[in-house]
Amino acid sequence: MEKQVKRIGVLTSGGDAPGMNAAVRAVVRTAVGSGVDCIGIRRGWNGLINSDFVHMDASSVSHIIDKGGTMLYTARSEEFREESGRAKALATCRLLGLDGIVAIGGDGTFRGALALSRQAAAAGHRLQVVGIPATIDNDIGCSHYTIGFDTACNTAIACIDKLRDTMQSHERCSVVEVMGRHAGYLALYVGIAVGATAVLIPEHEIDFDRDIVEKIRRARLTGTTHYMIVVAEGAGSALEISRRIHEETGIDPRVTVLGHIQRGGTPSARDRETASRMGHEAVISLMENRGNRVIATRDGRIVDLDMEQALGTTKTFEMDRYQILEALSTSRSGVL
């Protein structure tokens, strides 16, 4: 018979994402409500290495579901990448009597969790881990959706709508750089939602004249005097794009790099609800001795997947959305 889980840890690692607090809250309250002790590990894997932890109960996570960021703080840990660093982390796990860990973050967080579980098994210590995908980039291969994406999109849209007001007043071109690391999900989603003139994403090879200059020219011929170009950070520099637009058209664009503002703010209903469901399922997975799993969304359902297989999954970019953008852009209609 499998050993009953008695005490678990929960941590957030890597870049913060709106909804992480909702996931922490769900993990803690599901565990406590099921008679399982819960320990909060602060500052990600660094906290496990340095014994930075706090005992958590239901009241510990009151009034955090509507807060951005993460109450447990987050950090990246180079030391944890090394076997010696993970050995220190395992020493903390033994000290605390942890049976499992729920790790909230991205691919790097999951790889670290799997490496820790394997190293624990080699040392004769059973430690089950479960990952919850949380990143505004929405680039986790095994999950259709990641916590934080919807809020980040809404934040970017609100900012761009305000920029568009002033660009229209001054008849200017605005080049806006959004986050997303090496993925264009955020840029494309936002670009469609704001009616962008053009969107540059790393998944689509850029022809500068076709994808930007010609669209601006056609829009101008149909009477448009202001233009919105959305650039994914992985597709190039907004400053460089702006410079080339000026050289090719004579227009003097204004550049806005939204940066880390996209990571903050009150999480949306979708992120709160998804995070709550994922956090609940993560604890159930551990209680049912289904460790080394990733909690993911598939066609709107919450599922748990083998972590090793999940890490080997490649996400297929939905280019049909780019075609929708093309059909609706100013290159054809002449209006935003």
Side-chain angles (χ1 to χ4, degrees):
M1 183 175 179
E2 294 283 1
K3 178 183 175 182
Q4 179 66 40
V5 173
K6 296 181 179 179
R7 185 174 294 117
I8 66 172
V10 56
L11 60 84
T12 52
S13 178
D16 62 304
M20 278 184 163
N21 277 329
V24 171
R25 174 181 179 272
V27 168
V28 173
R29 291 201 167 174
T30 302
V32 171
S34 303
V36 176
D37 280 349
C38 193
I39 306 297
I41 310 298
R42 292 181 291 209
R43 299 174 179 84
W45 298 119
N46 275 334
L48 206 57
I49 290 173
N50 299 311
S51 295
D52 186 1
F53 59 86
V54 58
H55 187 269
M56 304 189 78
D57 57 25
S59 63
S60 301
V61 291
S62 296
H63 310 300
I64 68 167
I65 195 169
D66 60 331
K67 301 296 190 299
T70 163
M71 67 166 293
L72 292 176
Y73 309 107
T74 184
R76 304 186 191 278
S77 178
E78 291 300 320
E79 186 176 5
F80 190 77
R81 296 175 183 271
E82 305 297 328
E83 186 174 337
S84 58
R86 293 193 296 273
K88 294 179 183 178
L90 283 175
T92 301
C93 291
R94 293 192 187 95
L95 172 67
L96 298 177
L98 296 183
D99 303 305
I101 292 176
V102 177
I104 305 168
D107 276 340
T109 300
F110 302 160
R111 294 185 192 282
L114 188 58
L116 182 68
S117 178
R118 288 173 172 172
Q119 192 165 325
H125 177 63
R126 186 173 183 272
L127 181 70
Q128 300 278 40
V129 295
V130 175
I132 295 178
T135 167
I136 68 169
D137 303 335
N138 200 30
D139 61 349
I140 303 298
C142 66
S143 187
H144 292 173
Y145 185 80
T146 62
I147 297 168
F149 178 71
D150 186 61
T151 306
C153 286
N154 287 330
T155 298
I157 289 167
C159 292
I160 291 173
D161 283 347
K162 291 179 172 64
L163 281 171
R164 186 166 56 190
D165 289 343
T166 190
M167 290 300 106
Q168 183 173 6
S169 298
H170 292 274
E171 299 183 319
R172 285 176 175 159
C173 175
S174 184
V175 181
V176 181
E177 183 178 309
V178 300
M179 297 181 80
R181 201 167 46 173
H182 303 300
Y185 297 100
L186 186 61
L188 186 55
Y189 195 99
V190 168
I192 292 174
V194 301
T197 307
V199 177
L200 305 185
I201 56 175
E203 294 84 357
H204 179 73
E205 186 177 355
I206 300 170
D207 181 316
F208 196 84
D209 186 66
R210 178 197 65 204
D211 295 332
I212 301 178
V213 175
E214 190 58 29
K215 286 185 177 182
I216 292 174
R217 286 173 176 157
R218 289 184 181 180
R220 185 68 187 91
L221 288 170
T222 58
T224 299
T225 57
H226 59 287
Y227 321 96
M228 181 65 65
I229 312 299
V230 177
V231 183
E233 62 180 344
S237 163
L239 286 170
E240 177 61 20
I241 298 298
S242 172
R243 183 188 65 78
R244 291 188 63 184
I245 289 174
H246 178 68
E247 290 177 352
E248 295 288 338
T249 67
I251 295 173
D252 188 17
R254 295 294 186 268
V255 174
T256 303
V257 179
L258 294 183
H260 287 75
I261 191 174
Q262 295 158 97
R263 283 190 179 174
T266 301
S268 68
R270 182 179 186 183
D271 281 328
R272 297 187 201 190
E273 193 268 350
T274 302
S276 297
R277 292 165 65 201
M278 285 184 166
H280 173 78
E281 186 61 32
V283 176
I284 297 302
S285 180
L286 287 173
M287 290 179 61
E288 294 179 353
N289 289 298
R290 289 181 284 114
N292 294 4
R293 314 291 287 181
V294 172
I295 307 302
T297 64
R298 293 285 180 92
D299 299 320
R301 296 180 300 108
I302 302 296
V303 298
D304 69 281
L305 309 171
D306 177 80
M307 185 173 283
E308 186 170 4
Q309 292 180 2
L311 286 170
T313 303
T314 301
K315 196 165 191 172
T316 302
F317 194 84
E318 298 176 353
M319 288 306 297
D320 60 323
R321 287 192 175 179
Y322 191 84
Q323 300 306 318
I324 291 172
L325 173 77
E326 291 284 282
L328 301 178
S329 70
T330 57
S331 63
R332 300 183 183 180
S333 64
V335 295
L336 291 176

